[in-house]
Amino acid sequence: MLRSEAAFDILERATPPEERQPSGRKLLVAGGAVVGAGLGLLAALLLEFFDPRVRTRRDGSDLSGAEVCSEWARLPASGQQYVTPDPAISAATLTFRHFINNLEAEHGAEQLHSIAVVSSERGAGRSLVAANLARTLAMKERPTLLVDADFGADAGRRPHEGCAVRASEQGLLQTLDGSTKLQAALMKTDLEKLHCLGPGHPASKQPASLVLGGKRMMKFISALRRFRVRVIYDLPALQGHETALEAASAIGNVVLVVRSGWSRRADTRQLVALMQQRHINI
């Protein structure tokens, strides 16, 4: 302009604005927050829908169709993971006592003479649950027998290890083949009303797992029904284990253990369908 160039001219002189002009920034932030929350909720729903593993109590209840379902917090690795008759009642003691009370209120004490504790896969915490159920019944002054029917060498910690005073080389296998009597194979525990029967050691080349589906096991289960004692069976993982499923069918009642973040929905659903076909009470 100062050089008077013809290609440059002032069309309108600039004037300062009298008030602020709306930028729409707040609306943009609000819209972004709504869209972000919606996308996050959608992503969470999709992850839950396609999650292959059980996560919540509702998952377990929906998959099993069980009338009694309880959720137990992770128990500590110390000795406190077992329910005890100590005056200071632990959370585990209250939880398992509440579960037993709900079972008996729903099904009746006589119907629950024998209970098998099962899971679809190893590592779900089945043996710990079996031991605590047996201990809870004994603390309620119910004579109880805890039977370890998992003959696998990789079975991990045995359910009787948290309560048996002494170990025994004789067990369920020796009782079934007649080489020892049941009374001689029983192990005493720290609770007067609770006894344990270990798996024993196989003495023949026949796979011990086949014993679960044999006639001797069926007779053993039937014979124990004549005694006024509650029997808790710790069976091996049922996935791909037909003989264990046959034993569960003979027992009639099962407590199905699923572990959050561990048990797979598809495996649990398949196992439940197999048990329902055999009219097993879950």
Side-chain angles (χ1 to χ4, degrees):
M1 182 185 66
L2 295 177
R3 292 195 297 269
S4 300
E5 294 181 0
F8 187 87
D9 197 5
I10 297 178
L11 301 179
E12 183 180 358
R13 292 189 177 274
T15 56
E18 296 180 358
E19 60 182 7
R20 293 182 178 182
Q21 299 295 319
S23 64
R25 182 179 300 173
K26 293 182 179 180
L27 182 61
L28 182 63
V29 172
V34 172
V35 172
L39 291 176
L41 180 60
L42 178 61
L45 291 175
L46 290 175
L47 287 174
E48 181 178 357
F49 182 77
F50 291 105
D51 189 356
R53 302 189 184 277
V54 176
R55 294 292 178 182
T56 64
R57 171 181 175 177
R58 181 177 178 181
D59 292 339
S61 178
D62 292 343
L63 289 170
S64 65
E67 297 173 348
V68 180
C69 185
S70 181
E71 183 175 14
W72 302 323
R74 182 181 179 89
L75 299 178
S78 64
Q80 296 178 352
Q81 61 186 339
Y82 293 101
V83 299
T84 61
D86 295 338
I89 301 178
S90 65
T93 301
L94 289 175
T95 298
F96 281 91
R97 196 177 186 93
H98 180 68
F99 181 68
I100 289 292
N101 290 340
N102 286 344
L103 278 182
E104 293 182 346
E106 184 67 32
H107 301 286
E110 293 301 325
Q111 181 182 351
L112 298 176
H113 175 277
S114 303
I115 301 175
V117 182
V118 303
S119 64
S120 176
E121 65 289 296
R122 293 192 180 279
R126 181 189 66 256
S127 297
L128 178 59
V129 170
N132 276 333
L133 289 179
R135 292 182 64 84
T136 302
L137 286 170
M139 288 168 55
K140 290 170 68 67
E141 299 298 320
R142 314 281 172 77
T144 306
L145 174 61
L146 175 60
V147 179
D148 185 354
D150 189 352
F151 305 120
D154 57 345
R157 189 174 187 181
R158 296 292 181 176
H160 63 268
E161 292 181 4
C163 45
V165 174
R166 62 175 180 83
S168 174
E169 293 294 325
Q170 308 298 318
L172 178 59
L173 288 174
Q174 285 69 38
T175 304
L176 293 179
D177 64 20
S179 60
T180 187
K181 293 189 177 297
L182 176 61
Q183 282 296 121
L186 292 180
M187 293 180 285
K188 295 183 178 180
T189 70
D190 59 332
L191 299 176
E192 181 183 356
K193 297 291 185 178
L194 176 62
H195 288 80
C196 295
L197 179 64
H201 298 284
S204 64
K205 295 181 179 180
Q206 181 184 16
S209 59
L210 296 180
V211 176
L212 288 177
K215 292 182 178 180
R216 291 178 179 177
M217 184 65 183
M218 303 304 146
K219 290 182 179 180
F220 177 80
I221 295 172
S222 179
L224 287 182
R225 296 185 190 279
R226 298 196 297 266
F227 297 93
R228 298 180 60 85
V229 60
R230 298 291 189 89
V231 187
I232 303 295
Y233 296 87
D234 177 32
L235 295 182
L238 298 189
Q239 186 177 9
H241 206 313
E242 186 65 25
T243 56
L245 198 57
E246 293 172 2
S249 180
I251 295 167
N253 302 301
V254 302
V255 170
L256 175 61
V257 181
V258 292
R259 179 178 171 185
S260 176
W262 182 273
S263 302
R264 300 183 66 87
R265 294 172 185 260
D267 295 339
T268 304
R269 188 180 294 109
Q270 181 182 15
L271 176 59
V272 168
L274 290 174
M275 290 192 293
Q276 289 176 343
Q277 291 174 4
R278 289 164 169 79
H279 305 288
I280 299 175
N281 181 33
I282 305 175

